[in-house]
Amino acid sequence: MAKSLAKALGVEAKFVQTKWADLLTDMGSGKCDVAMGGISVTLDRQKKVFFSAPYLVNGKAPIVRCADKAKFQSVADIDKPETRVIVNPGGTNERFVRANFKQAKIEVFPDNVTIFDQILAGKADLMIAESIEVKVQEKAKPGLCAVNPDEPLQYGEMGYMLPRGDATFKAFVDQWLHLAKATGEFAKIYDQFVR
Protein backbone atom coordinates (compact mmCIF):
# COMPACT_ATOMS: atom_id res chain seq x y z
CA MET A 1 0.00 0.00 0.00
CA ALA A 2 2.92 2.35 0.66
CA LYS A 3 4.16 1.83 -2.88
CA SER A 4 0.65 2.49 -4.20
CA LEU A 5 0.40 5.74 -2.22
CA ALA A 6 3.83 6.86 -3.42
CA LYS A 7 2.84 6.16 -7.03
CA ALA A 8 -0.37 8.17 -6.59
CA LEU A 9 1.69 11.07 -5.22
CA GLY A 10 4.20 10.80 -8.07
CA VAL A 11 7.14 10.04 -5.76
CA GLU A 12 9.32 7.07 -4.90
CA ALA A 13 8.62 5.28 -1.60
CA LYS A 14 11.55 5.28 0.83
CA PHE A 15 11.14 3.05 3.86
CA VAL A 16 12.34 4.22 7.27
CA GLN A 17 12.69 1.81 10.19
CA THR A 18 11.40 2.81 13.60
CA LYS A 19 10.31 1.25 16.89
CA TRP A 20 6.90 1.58 18.52
CA ALA A 21 8.42 3.60 21.36
CA ASP A 22 9.92 6.07 18.82
CA LEU A 23 7.09 6.23 16.28
CA LEU A 24 5.51 9.52 17.40
CA THR A 25 8.90 11.19 17.83
CA ASP A 26 10.04 10.06 14.39
CA MET A 27 6.81 11.31 12.85
CA GLY A 28 7.01 14.65 14.68
CA SER A 29 10.64 15.19 13.70
CA GLY A 30 9.94 14.72 9.99
CA LYS A 31 11.91 11.48 9.77
CA CYS A 32 8.94 10.11 7.81
CA ASP A 33 5.95 11.57 5.97
CA VAL A 34 3.50 8.76 6.69
CA ALA A 35 3.58 5.73 8.98
CA MET A 36 1.86 2.61 7.70
CA GLY A 37 1.45 -0.95 8.83
CA GLY A 38 -0.42 -2.05 11.92
CA ILE A 39 -0.86 1.31 13.61
CA SER A 40 -3.81 1.50 15.98
CA VAL A 41 -5.78 4.71 16.04
CA THR A 42 -5.83 5.99 19.61
CA LEU A 43 -6.95 9.26 21.14
CA ASP A 44 -3.52 9.75 22.72
CA ARG A 45 -1.85 9.46 19.33
CA GLN A 46 -4.54 11.62 17.71
CA LYS A 47 -3.47 14.49 19.99
CA LYS A 48 -0.07 14.50 18.26
CA VAL A 49 -0.74 13.33 14.69
CA PHE A 50 -3.49 12.98 12.12
CA PHE A 51 -4.79 9.60 11.00
CA SER A 52 -6.24 8.64 7.67
CA ALA A 53 -9.74 7.28 7.56
CA PRO A 54 -9.60 3.82 9.16
CA TYR A 55 -8.66 1.10 6.72
CA LEU A 56 -9.41 -1.81 9.03
CA VAL A 57 -11.52 -2.52 12.10
CA ASN A 58 -9.91 -4.98 14.48
CA GLY A 59 -8.76 -5.22 18.10
CA LYS A 60 -6.43 -7.09 20.38
CA ALA A 61 -6.31 -10.88 20.19
CA PRO A 62 -4.00 -13.57 21.58
CA ILE A 63 -1.74 -15.81 19.54
CA VAL A 64 -0.61 -19.07 21.13
CA ARG A 65 0.82 -22.47 20.32
CA CYS A 66 -2.03 -24.32 18.64
CA ALA A 67 -2.11 -26.95 21.38
CA ASP A 68 -2.97 -24.20 23.90
CA LYS A 69 -5.70 -22.47 21.91
CA ALA A 70 -8.63 -23.67 24.06
CA LYS A 71 -6.80 -22.62 27.23
CA PHE A 72 -6.63 -18.86 26.47
CA GLN A 73 -10.07 -17.74 25.29
CA SER A 74 -10.57 -14.65 27.48
CA VAL A 75 -8.78 -12.06 29.59
CA ALA A 76 -9.73 -14.10 32.69
CA ASP A 77 -8.25 -17.26 31.15
CA ILE A 78 -4.99 -15.43 30.46
CA ASP A 79 -4.63 -13.40 33.65
CA LYS A 80 -3.28 -16.17 35.89
CA PRO A 81 0.05 -16.28 37.74
CA GLU A 82 1.32 -19.22 35.67
CA THR A 83 0.68 -17.52 32.30
CA ARG A 84 3.70 -16.01 30.52
CA VAL A 85 2.70 -13.11 28.23
CA ILE A 86 5.33 -11.71 25.90
CA VAL A 87 4.94 -8.19 24.52
CA ASN A 88 6.78 -5.76 22.27
CA PRO A 89 7.65 -2.47 24.00
CA GLY A 90 6.17 0.97 23.57
CA GLY A 91 2.94 0.43 21.69
CA THR A 92 -0.70 -0.36 22.18
CA ASN A 93 0.01 -4.08 22.69
CA GLU A 94 2.05 -3.32 25.81
CA ARG A 95 -0.55 -0.82 27.03
CA PHE A 96 -3.34 -3.37 26.65
CA VAL A 97 -1.35 -6.09 28.43
CA ARG A 98 -0.40 -3.86 31.37
CA ALA A 99 -3.97 -2.55 31.74
CA ASN A 100 -5.64 -5.97 31.62
CA PHE A 101 -3.26 -8.50 33.14
CA LYS A 102 -2.45 -8.04 36.81
CA GLN A 103 -1.43 -11.63 37.67
CA ALA A 104 0.14 -12.99 34.47
CA LYS A 105 3.91 -12.76 34.08
CA ILE A 106 4.71 -10.08 31.51
CA GLU A 107 7.97 -10.19 29.56
CA VAL A 108 8.96 -7.29 27.33
CA PHE A 109 10.83 -8.55 24.27
CA PRO A 110 12.52 -5.92 22.07
CA ASP A 111 12.56 -7.65 18.68
CA ASN A 112 9.26 -7.45 16.75
CA VAL A 113 10.60 -9.79 14.07
CA THR A 114 11.46 -12.78 16.29
CA ILE A 115 8.98 -12.26 19.13
CA PHE A 116 6.56 -14.90 17.81
CA ASP A 117 9.37 -17.47 17.71
CA GLN A 118 9.58 -17.14 21.50
CA ILE A 119 6.07 -18.61 21.75
CA LEU A 120 6.92 -21.47 19.39
CA ALA A 121 10.06 -22.19 21.44
CA GLY A 122 8.00 -22.42 24.64
CA LYS A 123 9.64 -19.35 26.21
CA ALA A 124 6.25 -17.61 26.43
CA ASP A 125 2.66 -18.83 26.38
CA LEU A 126 1.15 -16.10 24.24
CA MET A 127 1.30 -12.62 22.82
CA ILE A 128 -1.47 -10.08 22.49
CA ALA A 129 -1.43 -8.21 19.18
CA GLU A 130 -3.82 -6.73 16.66
CA SER A 131 -6.25 -9.32 15.33
CA ILE A 132 -4.94 -8.73 11.80
CA GLU A 133 -1.38 -9.37 12.98
CA VAL A 134 -2.24 -12.64 14.71
CA LYS A 135 -3.94 -13.80 11.49
CA VAL A 136 -0.81 -12.95 9.47
CA GLN A 137 1.48 -14.67 11.97
CA GLU A 138 -0.75 -17.76 12.10
CA LYS A 139 -0.32 -18.05 8.33
CA ALA A 140 3.43 -17.36 8.46
CA LYS A 141 4.36 -19.53 11.43
CA PRO A 142 2.96 -23.08 11.50
CA GLY A 143 2.30 -24.14 15.06
CA LEU A 144 0.88 -20.76 16.11
CA CYS A 145 -2.85 -20.16 16.22
CA ALA A 146 -4.79 -16.92 16.54
CA VAL A 147 -7.44 -17.00 19.27
CA ASN A 148 -10.79 -15.56 18.18
CA PRO A 149 -9.32 -12.88 15.89
CA ASP A 150 -12.77 -12.07 14.49
CA GLU A 151 -14.07 -11.47 18.04
CA PRO A 152 -11.15 -9.55 19.59
CA LEU A 153 -10.72 -8.75 23.28
CA GLN A 154 -11.40 -5.06 22.55
CA TYR A 155 -12.43 -2.85 19.65
CA GLY A 156 -9.80 -1.13 17.57
CA GLU A 157 -9.20 0.58 14.24
CA MET A 158 -6.10 0.93 12.11
CA GLY A 159 -5.17 3.95 10.09
CA TYR A 160 -2.17 5.52 8.42
CA MET A 161 -0.39 8.03 10.65
CA LEU A 162 0.03 11.45 9.05
CA PRO A 163 1.61 14.77 10.07
CA ARG A 164 -0.64 16.78 12.36
CA GLY A 165 -1.97 19.94 10.76
CA ASP A 166 -1.55 18.93 7.11
CA ALA A 167 -5.23 18.77 6.13
CA THR A 168 -4.44 18.76 2.40
CA PHE A 169 -2.23 15.68 2.68
CA LYS A 170 -4.82 13.95 4.89
CA ALA A 171 -7.55 14.63 2.33
CA PHE A 172 -5.37 13.20 -0.45
CA VAL A 173 -4.54 10.06 1.55
CA ASP A 174 -8.19 9.55 2.49
CA GLN A 175 -9.29 9.84 -1.16
CA TRP A 176 -6.49 7.53 -2.34
CA LEU A 177 -7.50 4.98 0.32
CA HIS A 178 -11.17 5.26 -0.66
CA LEU A 179 -10.30 4.59 -4.30
CA ALA A 180 -7.95 1.71 -3.39
CA LYS A 181 -10.83 0.08 -1.54
CA ALA A 182 -13.41 0.85 -4.24
CA THR A 183 -11.26 -0.54 -7.07
CA GLY A 184 -10.31 -3.72 -5.17
CA GLU A 185 -6.62 -2.83 -4.91
CA PHE A 186 -6.74 -2.86 -1.11
CA ALA A 187 -8.59 -6.21 -0.99
CA LYS A 188 -6.09 -7.78 -3.40
CA ILE A 189 -3.13 -6.77 -1.22
CA TYR A 190 -4.98 -7.73 1.98
CA ASP A 191 -5.79 -11.18 0.61
CA GLN A 192 -2.19 -11.71 -0.49
CA PHE A 193 -0.91 -11.33 3.08
CA VAL A 194 -3.83 -12.43 5.24
CA ARG A 195 -5.80 -15.13 3.47
Side-chain angles (χ1 to χ4, degrees):
M1 291 305 295
K3 289 178 181 176
S4 171
L5 176 59
K7 182 178 178 184
L9 288 165
V11 298
E12 180 183 338
K14 292 183 183 176
F15 296 92
V16 178
Q17 297 239 342
T18 188
K19 298 182 286 191
W20 289 115
D22 299 336
L23 183 60
L24 287 170
T25 302
D26 287 348
M27 185 58 129
S29 71
K31 187 175 179 181
C32 56
D33 301 305
V34 59
M36 301 173 80
I39 302 172
S40 299
V41 176
T42 68
L43 293 176
D44 285 341
R45 288 175 174 166
Q46 186 74 49
K47 292 174 187 174
K48 299 173 182 146
V49 297
F50 278 175
F51 278 97
S52 69
Y55 65 85
L56 191 66
V57 171
N58 65 17
K60 300 297 181 193
I63 187 164
V64 302
R65 287 179 298 282
C66 292
D68 294 335
K69 189 173 180 178
K71 198 164 126 178
F72 298 114
Q73 293 289 307
S74 68
V75 169
D77 292 342
I78 297 167
D79 195 21
K80 296 181 177 172
E82 64 273 16
T83 305
R84 299 167 300 155
V85 179
I86 195 165
V87 67
N88 50 336
T92 58
N93 294 342
E94 183 179 17
R95 264 180 277 173
F96 180 87
V97 165
R98 294 201 184 279
N100 290 280
F101 304 133
K102 302 305 179 194
Q103 298 180 72
K105 294 178 192 107
I106 299 169
E107 178 192 347
V108 177
F109 190 80
D111 184 1
N112 276 4
V113 177
T114 62
I115 193 167
F116 298 98
D117 296 329
Q118 299 298 302
I119 302 166
L120 281 170
K123 295 179 181 177
D125 295 312
L126 64 96
M127 179 178 171
I128 300 292
E130 298 300 333
S131 55
I132 184 70
E133 183 174 18
V134 298
K135 286 179 180 182
V136 168
Q137 293 301 324
E138 178 180 62
K139 183 178 174 184
K141 298 201 178 278
L144 289 183
C145 286
V147 178
N148 304 322
D150 295 324
E151 297 175 16
L153 299 173
Q154 53 85 258
Y155 177 84
E157 295 178 339
M158 292 185 146
Y160 300 132
M161 190 180 283
L162 308 167
R164 185 165 181 79
D166 193 340
T168 303
F169 186 52
K170 179 184 173 1
F172 184 91
V173 172
D174 285 345
Q175 185 62 30
W176 160 81
L177 180 58
H178 167 75
L179 293 172
K181 286 185 160 193
T183 63
E185 179 184 19
F186 181 89
K188 181 180 174 187
I189 293 170
Y190 178 91
D191 289 348
Q192 177 185 349
F193 290 97
V194 179
R195 300 214 171 151

